[in-house]
Amino acid sequence: MTEPTRPTARLRAEHLTLAYDRRTVATDLSVAVPDGSFTVILGPNACGKSTLLKALARMITPKAGAVRLDGAPVSSYRPRDLARRLGLLPQSSTAPAGITVGDLVARGRYPHQRMLKQWSVEDQAAVTGAMRQTHVLELADRPVEDLSGGQRQRVWLAMVLAQQTGILLLDEPTTFLDIAHQVEVLDLCADLHARKGHTIVAVLHDLNQACRYATHLVVMRPGGTVAAEGHPSAVMTAELIEDVFGLPCRIIDDPETGTPLMVPAAPRRPAAAGDAAVAHTP
């Protein structure tokens, strides 16, 4: 019997040990990011989600194992070469005081600049295109600090898009945003994935948002191990959520998208004395 063909993975982590000083976050952690996927990394607090993303982006160096991009260790790439292949939106980004939207997005072209190759028509086209995709072109002359949270997050995403990489790494891109802006940013990411073919890897906290937008889930448990991996409809079960998060729940179909929707179980409260008296009234 022929085994099903596995999707290719330009980016993969192989048997990583991840640690901060003497605190080990994960041991023997392996993850492959399917090409062309919208991969979401989920898990409880302190399970190593953001640490894994930082390792994929070469922001931290594994104590053991390797992260490979296109078959080569990411440690072997020169910074500019890596930045032309991987785009990273960190969890917390701070813009210089007074910088305009257009100038911040233009910084995404840094990996393409050279001593003898300064700003070009191609650079301007990349910046304009990135701002158009993220719907911030009309904000180009405004200071970033004057924008709303949702607008700022779209501007940072535009800067990453201006790098023109095939892989985008997003560390909790919806943190500190209200629900409307969360949906706005995730809708934009889904559109970039579906229409532009970007491979996206995002760390999210909201299970239902992850199931709605992801084509591939990596669910981590405390201790930095992978509890489940695959399409949301295949891996997201009530048993998995109770095992990983300690939360009893039901899984139903999202009435809008048909994707798995997690509904926490209602707490069992003892009946109040008044309720019992009413129940026994003839």
Side-chain angles (χ1 to χ4, degrees), residues 10-12 66-77 82 85:
R10 293 181 59 202
L11 182 63
R12 58 176 65 241
V67 174
R68 295 185 180 277
L69 175 63
D70 294 330
V74 293
S75 58
S76 69
Y77 287 94
L82 185 63
R85 291 168 169 82

Side-chain angles (χ1 to χ4, degrees), residues 45-69:
N45 290 338
C47 73
K49 302 184 299 295
S50 290
T51 305
L52 170 59
L53 197 79
K54 290 175 182 177
L56 294 175
R58 204 174 71 177
M59 290 182 66
I60 62 173
T61 302
K63 299 295 184 182
V67 174
R68 295 185 180 277
L69 175 63

Side-chain angles (χ1 to χ4, degrees), residues 186-272:
L186 290 173
D187 279 345
L188 173 59
C189 291
D191 185 61
L192 291 172
H193 164 254
R195 293 199 304 112
K196 300 297 182 179
H198 289 287
T199 296
I200 296 177
V201 186
V203 171
L204 295 179
H205 278 287
D206 190 297
L207 274 66
N208 290 333
Q209 288 181 350
C211 288
R212 171 173 282 207
Y213 290 99
T215 63
H216 185 78
L217 289 181
V218 176
V219 184
M220 298 179 65
R221 57 163 50 96
T225 60
V226 175
E229 192 172 358
H231 193 274
S233 62
V235 303
M236 190 55 64
T237 65
E239 292 76 17
L240 175 71
I241 293 172
E242 186 159 11
D243 174 46
V244 173
F245 295 91
L247 178 67
C249 69
R250 292 176 57 203
I251 300 294
I252 63 174
D253 291 338
D254 186 315
E256 290 290 325
T257 62
T259 53
L261 182 70
M262 187 275 296
V263 181
R268 295 183 178 181
R269 297 189 179 93

